[in-house]
Amino acid sequence: MKNRNQVVPVAVDDLHKSYPDRKGAIGAVNGVSFSIEEGEFYTLLGPSGCGKTTTMRCIAGLEHTNRGEIWIQGKLVSSSDHNLFVPPNKRDIGMVFQSYAIWPHMTVFQNVAFPLKIAGIKVGSKEMNDRVEEALALVRLEGFGSRFATQLSGGQQQRLALARALVRRPALLLLDEPLSNLDARLRDHMRTELRAIQRRLGITTLYVTHDQTEALSMSSRIAVMEKGKIVQEATPRELYLAPANAFVAEFLGNSNLIDGTIKERDGDNGCLVEASFGYLRINAPVGVFSGAKVAITIRPEHVRIHRDSAAMQNSFAARVESVSFLGEQSECQVLVNETALRCRVASATSVVPGDEVWLEIPMEACTLIADETGVPVNG
Amino acid sequence: MGEGFIAGGAGWANYAELLGDSNFWRAVSNTGIFAGITLVVACVLGIPLAWLAERTDLPGRSLLWTAMLASLVLPGFLSGMGWLFLAHPRIGLINVVLMNAFHLSSAPFPVNNIFGMGIIQGIVLTSLTFVLVAPSLRTMDPSLEEAAAMSGAPMHSILRDVTLPLLLPALTAAAIYVAIVAVGTFDIPAVIGFSNRVYTFSTYMFTKAYPTGGFPDYTTVAAGGGILIVLALFLSAAYTSVLARARRYQVVTGKAYRPRRVGLSRWKIPALLFVAAYVLVALILPFLITFVNALMPYARPLTPDTIQTLSLDNFKRVPWDMFLNGALRTLEIVLVVPIAVVVSSIAFSWVVLRTKIRGRFLLDAIAFLPHAVPGILFGIGASLTALFVLQKAIPVYGTVYLLMCVYCIAWLSFGTRMINSSLIQIHSELVEAGQVSGAGFIEVIKEIIVPLLRPAIFGLWIFVALLATRELTLAAFVTTPSNQTLPMVAWALWSNGSLTQAAAVAVIIVAALVPLLALYFALGRRMESMFQ
């Protein structure tokens, strides 16, 4: 592990962090290890309280760790064994906070100039002016320098926070739920912009969010965290299509989660599963054997609704229970042999509650994720 | 002096002697009556005024705030002097005029008894009640009252069934605090009661510590201090528990509400008259009459005959060496104490709010304690400690340094409350953003914390400077001729019977407060918010 640690921008090894509590200590992070490659956009994803923010704060040096080691650019910055702790101001990082943390007593220019001033660059020097202007231009805030930071809108403050984090050209950019305080439209816009800036600079980035859309659309790799541990680390596509367990599947989207038993294997990568509502033919990895209890996720957007039965695989008679209009799509609750399933259809499809329909569940809509003990079979 | 005294007299016998003194018991019952009347007057005037300022459409509300803050920092002894000149049975202007007009044989409003003193002290402490109650009224969630209105409750029922019960903890806390101040205050009992031999606890103790003849009776002073500590502990326990309850009610959420204001309509004129009468009685009259008397050869009512005797002679006859000495001490104190309070308040608040050091909440409690302890205890305690404990190692007794220490300790609680409330509003991420930008501890303090706290720091500095210039109670027991402050000079002249010279000194003190007051009101808006 040591050799690897010395070349990658960030390596975290067996990180533990707990907070004192009335009843003793609450473990916030319980043994997290990962490393980030040069130029990667790496995301820690999970619900609130899963330890993702604590992990990031440990990397930033805003929290002391209880156990484990943290390396930044091959330099050991935190180690309980060596009783070593490099304070945040000595780590080569830039960070954007959830609240943006724009200093209200400074102008936009002064906010961005602050890290340079601390680094010893003379206020008013050409170098400082050039670098601040460059950073402001990067986030499209040219000409705002003399304004007071409090006069900016939410989106502008967010961009200012990014400029301030980048102005020192740090080795690592930390983003702590930076989009969560923006309204939905601005959030979509900033998501694209943030990723574009990150790509242009090629800066290694660690991103923390609880929003699966943000994680899936921005990241090169995602680590899903639950109860202080990483439960799955994968690319967005892998994660979405092949969640390692029920938690990841549910967290990543409104999947249907079905229990079943493997009836027979069918060639190298197919099998027949007996689910509560009938027999389902799905893709199955090697190593799954007949009789195994499994869980299957069925992506609602992949399920199709037909008016009549045609020669289709995995087709079931169903009744529409409810329809909720979500804009482009509508979500339908259907009942298949007394099992409720959710599916998404284009809103142009005219279905109303009470309709008798045929449900098609294509093989690629299903992911076999776990046996009955919850141990991933394809992880 | 000192050690020889205490040697033979330590032990419970001191308490027995004190408790056997009928004068002590008269002082105790006087203090009870005095504090009770003070409390009633301060609440009856202060709470409605606060309600008018915060919850009605009364015109000139910010002017009312200005008047309240001015009377908060105006010296209490000046009000005492003014009211003696106004309502003394023999020389008081009001009494003399009324007696002459209606041929009365006795003064209709004699102020020199315990009731009169209680009423005057109540008027003086109305401003304190006001600033303690007004923020709770302001930050009260209006939806609580609106919900009652939606339930069909009329105005008087909303006030009685919703507003008042919600405010009750805050009101009780304010009342206890005012009572604590009243029990220990020196200004009014000294200025009005002393010459008439009407003693409260503080003035009784003063006669023991500074008797006109013979030696100081420090053993009795110590015993009296011990009794007061018990009372103070009881009161501060009550105060803390009430405050905790007030927080549980969550009336004050820190959110900026814009409470619905009640339209006064036809009550507008009576309300304005009420406010005007208060300002006249609490501020304008006492100051004017003191100013007039400062121009008189000796204290007497202003009549067409005496008006010709007005002159600046008093200002010439003031013992200038004594005055200059006092002015120098006061200047030293104003230069040192406010800065010391600001620095130590920031340090305390930082440790309590921004570190995880064990026992930091104990530190907060210690800083808060002086808030709930009568100021007189600090004076007595500091002077006894300096005299009998420290004298050999650190001879501070009789120096200005002892006075500075007492002031700092007494006002640290106010300072930490004020800095706490500002520091708590500074999001911790603002500091962390500084750290990840490369700034170390010193740079974070210098570049981020201090600039963000600047309004609070400035406000605290001015306020403590004002308090330090006018403070009498804390100084009374720590002063010797070598460390006399200006208010003590005024008091010394007054107690020697040079009433008009004392009035002249009081007028000079107020003149010295003016530049500070001007600064204070230049920050008017911020000052209002700092009491939250």
Side-chain angles (χ1 to χ4, degrees):
Chain A
M1 188 103 182
K2 278 256 157 86
N3 277 340
R4 246 183 81 213
N5 290 347
Q6 274 153 24
V7 291
V8 295
V10 182
V12 175
D13 190 15
D14 197 29
L15 179 69
H16 283 77
K17 171 71 189 171
S18 59
Y19 292 105
D21 183 57
R22 283 197 201 96
K23 294 172 209 153
I26 287 188
V29 179
N30 303 313
V32 162
S33 305
F34 62 92
S35 59
I36 308 177
E37 304 291 330
E38 189 72 43
E40 246 196 316
F41 195 111
Y42 190 92
T43 298
L44 297 174
L45 172 70
S48 61
C50 72
K52 58 190 189 302
T53 295
T54 307
T55 304
M56 173 177 275
R57 288 174 62 84
C58 286
I59 293 171
L62 298 170
E63 304 280 353
H64 287 252
T65 60
N66 297 124
R67 212 170 95 197
E69 296 187 338
I70 298 170
W71 305 71
I72 296 177
Q73 290 292 88
K75 192 180 149 223
L76 188 61
V77 293
S78 178
S79 165
S80 49
D81 291 346
H82 297 86
N83 207 6
L84 176 100
F85 178 79
V86 177
N89 52 317
K90 304 275 188 244
R91 297 185 185 192
D92 192 7
I93 50 175
M95 182 163 176
V96 175
F97 292 85
Q98 192 172 1
S99 70
Y100 316 143
I102 300 298
W103 296 307
H105 60 295
M106 297 184 192
T107 62
V108 168
F109 184 93
Q110 287 168 331
N111 262 283
V112 180
F114 185 81
L116 301 176
K117 187 175 143 191
I118 294 294
I121 296 173
K122 260 220 165 75
V123 178
S125 67
K126 188 174 181 308
E127 185 189 1
M128 172 167 284
N129 291 342
D130 287 352
R131 285 181 68 175
V132 171
E133 283 311 322
E134 187 194 352
L136 286 176
L138 187 70
V139 298
R140 298 190 292 111
L141 279 178
E142 310 99 317
F144 283 83
S146 58
R147 290 213 199 169
F148 263 93
T150 42
Q151 293 169 307
L152 300 184
S153 69
Q156 288 170 333
Q157 287 194 18
Q158 220 254 318
R159 296 210 295 266
L160 172 56
L162 185 63
R164 186 179 64 188
L166 291 172
V167 74
R168 273 207 303 175
R169 295 169 193 149
L172 173 65
L173 177 64
L174 304 174
L175 304 168
D176 182 12
E177 308 224 13
L179 305 180
S180 61
N181 282 339
L182 299 176
D183 62 59
R185 251 176 89 165
L186 205 51
R187 193 156 55 221
D188 288 349
H189 177 75
M190 278 308 296
R191 208 166 59 204
T192 328
E193 190 164 319
L194 198 57
R195 186 65 165 118
I197 291 172
Q198 191 268 340
R199 281 221 178 86
R200 201 176 330 147
L201 299 178
I203 185 169
T204 310
T205 302
L206 176 61
Y207 191 87
V208 157
T209 185
H210 63 267
D211 184 311
Q212 73 274 25
T213 318
E214 281 173 24
L216 292 171
S217 61
M218 297 168 88
S219 318
S220 48
R221 264 193 309 154
I222 299 172
V224 181
M225 290 186 69
E226 184 196 11
K227 292 177 185 153
K229 287 193 163 74
I230 292 180
V231 289
Q232 187 176 10
E233 187 190 51
T235 65
R237 178 167 292 274
E238 282 168 3
L239 203 65
Y240 190 77
L241 295 177
N245 65 17
F247 172 78
V248 176
E250 284 214 70
F251 194 74
L252 278 181
N254 304 314
S255 268
N256 296 292
L257 201 64
I258 305 294
D259 291 324
T261 314
I262 308 253
K263 275 288 144 199
E264 56 178 69
R265 284 210 63 106
D266 178 17
D268 280 346
N269 50 13
C271 69
L272 193 64
V273 176
E274 185 186 2
S276 52
F277 54 84
Y279 286 93
L280 203 58
R281 188 160 297 278
I282 64 169
N283 292 317
V286 185
V288 176
F289 49 88
S290 295
K293 300 249 188 236
V294 294
I296 303 151
T297 61
I298 303 171
R299 289 258 153 223
E301 63 271 33
H302 291 165
V303 175
R304 293 178 204 134
I305 286 181
H306 300 279
R307 280 289 163 197
D308 39 35
S309 150
M312 298 176 294
Q313 224 176 16
N314 292 343
S315 145
F316 305 93
R319 200 180 68 229
V320 177
E321 287 289 295
S322 66
V323 180
S324 15
F325 179 69
L326 299 176
E328 250 176 80
Q329 290 187 313
S330 293
E331 183 161 297
C332 305
Q333 186 92 34
V334 298
L335 215 55
V336 191
N337 294 332
E338 295 179 356
T339 299
L341 288 178
R342 280 199 311 263
C343 55
R344 292 239 169 137
V345 296
S347 286
T349 321
S350 59
V351 282
V352 291
D355 280 2
E356 299 288 343
V357 294
W358 287 90
L359 213 60
E360 184 198 354
I361 307 177
M363 281 175 78
E364 62 273 18
C366 307
T367 311
L368 189 154
I369 59 169
D371 69 10
E372 61 183 349
T373 58
V375 175
V377 291
N378 61 341
Chain B
M1 62 178 179
E3 279 172 49
F5 276 104
I6 204 100
W12 293 105
N14 298 327
Y15 286 93
E17 194 189 320
L18 182 68
L19 298 177
D21 182 358
S22 64
N23 286 332
F24 171 73
W25 288 110
R26 191 165 312 125
V28 167
S29 73
N30 272 345
T31 308
I33 299 168
F34 173 75
I37 295 172
T38 298
L39 188 57
V40 170
V41 172
C43 288
V44 164
L45 293 177
I47 295 169
L49 284 170
W51 185 73
L52 284 173
E54 292 300 331
R55 303 302 303 272
T56 69
D57 61 349
L58 184 81
R61 292 185 300 263
S62 65
L63 220 60
L64 177 55
W65 258 101
T66 307
M68 282 308 191
L69 292 175
S71 97
L72 190 67
V73 295
L74 220 66
F77 59 85
L78 186 112
S79 302
M81 290 175 178
W83 276 97
L84 199 85
F85 293 133
L86 279 171
H88 187 276
R90 215 158 12 82
I91 60 161
L93 182 62
I94 295 173
N95 285 325
V96 170
V97 167
L98 289 176
M99 280 159 76
N100 288 341
F102 300 103
H103 306 289
L104 304 170
S105 57
S106 65
F109 299 115
V111 77
N112 59 343
N113 55 38
I114 200 69
F115 299 100
M117 282 157 57
I119 291 170
I120 303 307
Q121 187 70 59
I123 292 171
V124 169
L125 289 183
T126 296
S127 52
L128 182 63
T129 316
F130 180 95
V131 298
L132 289 174
V133 171
S136 310
L137 277 166
R138 178 183 307 179
T139 51
M140 205 174 121
D141 186 347
S143 66
L144 298 171
E145 289 172 310
E146 281 158 10
M150 291 301 112
S151 316
M155 188 64 214
H156 61 88
S157 153
I158 295 174
L159 276 177
R160 193 192 60 215
D161 297 328
V162 178
T163 314
L164 206 59
L166 280 171
L167 282 176
L168 205 57
L171 293 181
T172 318
I176 295 175
Y177 185 54
V178 169
I180 291 169
V181 173
V183 165
T185 190
F186 185 73
D187 297 50
I188 303 291
V191 170
I192 299 180
F194 219 76
S195 56
N196 299 293
R197 299 184 178 284
V198 182
Y199 298 119
T200 64
F201 193 85
S202 60
T203 44
Y204 172 82
M205 299 289 271
F206 192 78
T207 62
K208 293 295 173 189
Y210 300 92
T212 40
F215 292 108
D217 183 3
Y218 288 116
T219 53
T220 312
V221 172
I227 290 170
L228 195 57
I229 286 176
V230 175
L231 179 71
L233 283 179
F234 172 75
L235 278 175
S236 49
Y239 186 54
T240 328
S241 84
V242 168
L243 269 190
R245 187 143 36 100
R247 262 177 226 122
R248 205 169 60 225
Y249 267 44
Q250 290 278 312
V251 177
V252 181
T253 56
K255 220 161 138 189
Y257 291 116
R258 203 164 269 281
R260 210 163 41 116
R261 291 191 179 272
V262 175
L264 286 172
S265 57
R266 66 201 164 92
W267 290 100
K268 196 170 277 177
I269 302 296
L272 278 175
L273 287 176
F274 173 60
V275 171
Y278 169 78
V279 173
L280 192 70
V281 160
L283 268 178
I284 298 174
L285 275 184
F287 180 75
L288 276 185
I289 197 83
T290 309
F291 186 68
V292 167
N293 270 276
L295 302 174
M296 294 226 182
Y298 54 92
R300 53 183 174 169
L302 184 69
T303 62
D305 298 336
T306 58
I307 212 160
Q308 278 135 30
T309 65
L310 296 184
S311 74
L312 289 171
D313 283 352
N314 276 326
F315 291 91
K316 290 177 198 151
R317 281 188 287 134
V318 163
W320 281 104
D321 50 339
M322 187 173 149
F323 178 89
L324 284 178
N325 197 37
L328 213 57
R329 293 293 88 76
T330 303
L331 188 66
E332 285 167 355
I333 287 171
V334 168
L335 287 178
V336 173
V337 170
I339 290 177
V341 169
V342 164
V343 171
S344 43
S345 298
I346 293 175
F348 263 72
S349 298
W350 180 268
V351 170
V352 171
L353 292 177
R354 290 291 156 92
T355 66
K356 288 164 186 163
I357 295 168
R358 260 169 216 275
R360 62 189 187 279
F361 294 111
L362 191 70
L363 205 63
D364 195 41
I366 290 170
F368 181 65
L369 199 63
H371 199 62
V373 168
I376 182 182
L377 252 184
F378 289 107
I380 295 174
S383 132
L384 291 179
T385 311
L387 208 47
F388 298 114
V389 182
L390 292 177
Q391 193 57 14
K392 282 209 175 119
I394 320 165
V396 285
Y397 186 77
T399 65
V400 72
Y401 307 110
L402 183 61
L403 213 45
M404 288 173 177
C405 285
V406 172
Y407 285 6
C408 286
I409 294 168
W411 294 325
L412 179 64
S413 56
F414 177 71
T416 51
R417 289 314 101 176
M418 212 176 125
I419 300 292
N420 272 357
S421 64
S422 291
L423 190 60
I424 220 162
Q425 285 169 21
I426 298 178
H427 200 299
S428 59
E429 288 186 351
L430 289 174
V431 173
E432 289 169 358
Q435 291 177 287
V436 297
S437 298
F441 180 72
I442 303 288
E443 285 153 326
V444 165
I445 294 280
K446 193 174 118 238
E447 302 278 347
I448 296 170
I449 294 297
V450 168
L452 287 173
L453 284 179
R454 194 166 284 149
I457 289 173
F458 201 37
L460 178 62
W461 187 91
I462 295 179
F463 198 74
V464 173
L466 283 164
L467 290 180
T469 310
R470 60 135 233 202
E471 180 61 36
L472 183 63
T473 302
L474 287 170
F477 288 84
V478 188
T479 300
T480 63
S482 61
N483 67 357
Q484 230 168 17
T485 60
L486 272 188
M488 284 307 289
V489 170
W491 159 242
L493 290 169
W494 182 269
S495 63
N496 284 340
S498 313
L499 303 192
T500 52
Q501 280 184 29
V505 172
V507 168
I508 296 173
I509 294 174
V510 171
L513 287 175
V514 166
L516 282 172
L517 270 170
L519 257 179
Y520 180 76
F521 288 121
L523 289 166
R525 291 266 155 234
R526 283 169 189 169
M527 299 306 279
E528 285 177 33
S529 63
M530 90 192 195
F531 287 101
Q532 300 181 8

